[in-house]
Amino acid sequence: MAKKPRKTNEKSGGGKLKKIIVVIVAVVILLGGGGAAAYFTGALDQVLGITDVDIVKEVPKQELALARPVYHDLPEFVADLRVTNDSRPPFLKLQLTVQIAEMDLPVLIEREPKIIDRVQRLLRNQTRLDLTGAEGSERLRADIVIIMNQTLDPAQVHNVLFRQMVLQ
């Protein structure tokens, strides 16, 4: 009787190769991750010859010459607001004081007519609801500061103060 040849499992050779590849990839990933962690934590600094470098160099202290702030009153604004569903058109009466550097005051005075015109246009474009509450007045203040800074460029306004704001 002849012996039957044994069947070899062809998959077992391929399975061993896959296991070896998986082990090699895992080792590479672990070594790479460990090396990256050691590098970023500074554990390899002495091995690589990296010394501490002062990124921020000491800057000599200089006194900044800040201009003295002055206050300038703008003329009173009275503007009809944009009409909504109300029976009568609302209006706004506004008195402003501008805080600006003393050296920029002549620029403000020179360009005051442009500022008044642009603020009037802004006010006429507002509705009663746009200006009600603290949020509305802060938004108006921010818009006025933007208008002034654009008109006075390169001079800048420090602040706009509301002396009076009557909304009827």
Side-chain angles (χ1 to χ4, degrees):
M1 206 183 299
K3 285 188 175 180
K4 290 184 182 178
R6 258 190 187 180
K7 290 184 182 179
T8 58
N9 191 356
E10 295 174 13
K11 293 181 182 178
S12 65
K16 289 180 184 177
L17 181 62
K18 285 181 184 177
K19 286 180 184 177
I20 292 172
I21 290 173
V22 168
V23 169
I24 291 173
V25 169
V27 168
V28 168
I29 289 174
L30 287 174
L31 289 176
Y39 175 78
F40 288 118
T41 58
L44 295 178
D45 286 354
Q46 288 182 346
V47 174
L48 297 175
I50 298 173
T51 59
D52 288 339
V53 177
D54 289 334
I55 295 173
V56 179
K57 295 181 180 177
E58 197 166 317
V59 178
K61 293 183 181 181
Q62 297 175 349
E63 291 290 324
L64 294 176
L66 297 176
R68 189 173 68 99
V70 293
Y71 296 93
H72 178 74
D73 293 334
L74 292 177
E76 181 178 82
F77 293 94
V78 177
D80 292 328
L81 301 178
R82 200 170 68 209
V83 178
T84 55
N85 294 335
D86 294 339
S87 60
R88 58 185 176 143
F91 76 94
L92 175 70
K93 182 177 175 182
L94 184 65
Q95 292 180 347
L96 300 174
T97 299
V98 179
Q99 182 183 7
I100 192 167
E102 187 175 28
M103 63 186 186
D104 294 334
L105 185 60
V107 177
L108 174 66
I109 292 171
E110 174 190 334
R111 298 181 189 168
E112 191 171 307
K114 276 187 175 180
I115 292 171
I116 292 170
D117 177 62
R118 291 185 70 194
V119 170
Q120 282 285 6
R121 280 191 278 159
L122 170 72
L123 294 176
R124 286 190 201 110
N125 218 10
Q126 303 294 314
T127 64
R128 181 183 196 90
L129 288 174
D130 292 338
L131 301 173
T132 55
E135 188 177 291
S137 63
E138 285 306 312
R139 194 173 324 119
L140 178 64
R141 181 189 322 268
D143 289 342
I144 291 172
V145 167
I146 290 170
I147 286 172
M148 290 188 171
N149 285 338
Q150 288 173 346
T151 307
L152 297 175
D153 192 38
Q156 295 288 308
V157 168
H158 294 244
N159 200 0
V160 172
L161 308 170
F162 291 162
R163 287 183 305 164
Q164 183 180 29
M165 183 175 171
V166 178
L167 181 61
Q168 289 186 347

